[in-house]
Amino acid sequence: MFAKWLRLPAIIVVAIVSATTMYRTLIPQNTDLTIMCSNDATVCEQWKLDIRRELGLDVRYVSLPTQEALKRLQTGSREFDLWVGGPSENYRFAARLGLLDATNPPAATTIPAEFQDPHGYWFGVYASILSLCINPDAFQNLSTDMPTTWRDLLRPELNGWVSAPSPLTSGTGYAILLSMQSAGLEPAEIQNIIRNIDRFTRSGNAPSDVVAHGEAAVAISYEPYCQNKTTRAGAPLTITYPSEGTSFEIASGGIVAQGSNKAAARIVMNWLLSPSGQTSARRVGLPQIPTNSAVAGNITEVLATTHGITAIRPDLADAERERWMTWFANTTGERP
């Protein structure tokens, strides 16, 4: 009996610690701002660490694919202060809906005008080129060559061996449809490529992991997500730009209109456009291309030396969004 009572304080302490841990997990502690992050989670985490170290701000982030992020903003959620990551056409759409606040960060003076909103609603934070990410080991067991064009993805030998993100959840997925269209593919050809896709991922960076694990032979994704990854046998993944032409994204950031920490959001937005913020992703091995013309290897320099890479027309992206989403849902049976 005495031993039982001796154990009681220890049980109470364990219960208190468990309750405290659950509280901190379910109810986040006070932070200076909350970021809705549509980038790779490793970069989101690095931004959080760098912002705390360089700016002294405590940041919480929530990882959401671009289209899901848009839907969350459209609900009127007051949870977020800053949205970062995902193609700029989605920010144009959000700004038109009144979901973003304008700002004027000093670091934006070295961001080319074509990579930011003229009224300050969004700013290009990094760039990436849409590519085919290929597992060379997988092709040793397939009776076809590795693809170098969009139309190569039509091959019946690749049925079930292609991975790509869903346009209904991912901005990358929508960019893929627009890129194929711009490269001259007919809707029927795009539909047949879609039929070769085994399963759609929620986010744009996931297909390269599917390919690296050997669950697909080729992924359609932005180049940085494919770089530095290897197959199970240790071979590097192969990156190819479709020869008919491909596109690049200007992944952006903007201040959420419903956010409550506007001052901190402006400070962080400026930092993301600064040389330090522009190179933060490199610290975790993700070579996203800077938009800041003062940083070496920026997207303007890359485009000047690379052919066949064009920007997605923003007017086309805006005008055809609903048509493509409906078309894709009808083609695949996925729900918007």
Side-chain angles (χ1 to χ4, degrees), residues 132 134 139 144-159 162 180 185 189 192-193 196 218 240-244:
L132 304 180
I134 300 165
F139 276 87
T144 186
D145 295 330
M146 292 189 290
T148 59
T149 72
W150 289 117
R151 288 185 172 88
D152 284 345
L153 300 181
L154 288 163
R155 295 173 186 166
E157 296 88 348
L158 290 178
N159 183 255
V162 181
M180 288 181 179
L185 273 71
E189 292 177 304
N192 286 331
I193 290 174
N196 274 352
V218 55
T240 297
Y241 300 154
S243 62
E244 301 102 326

Side-chain angles (χ1 to χ4, degrees), residues 70-83:
L70 263 175
K71 291 176 184 176
R72 185 75 69 90
L73 289 184
Q74 287 176 274
T75 67
S77 171
R78 296 178 179 272
E79 181 181 0
F80 304 104
D81 304 297
L82 190 66
W83 179 26

Side-chain angles (χ1 to χ4, degrees), residues 58-72:
D58 287 323
V59 171
R60 170 178 172 260
Y61 72 86
V62 176
S63 293
L64 283 175
T66 312
Q67 299 296 344
E68 291 189 14
L70 263 175
K71 291 176 184 176
R72 185 75 69 90

Side-chain angles (χ1 to χ4, degrees), residues 107-123:
T109 58
T110 45
I111 305 296
E114 62 267 32
F115 303 147
Q116 59 177 292
D117 181 68
H119 304 294
Y121 285 103
W122 58 266
F123 302 87

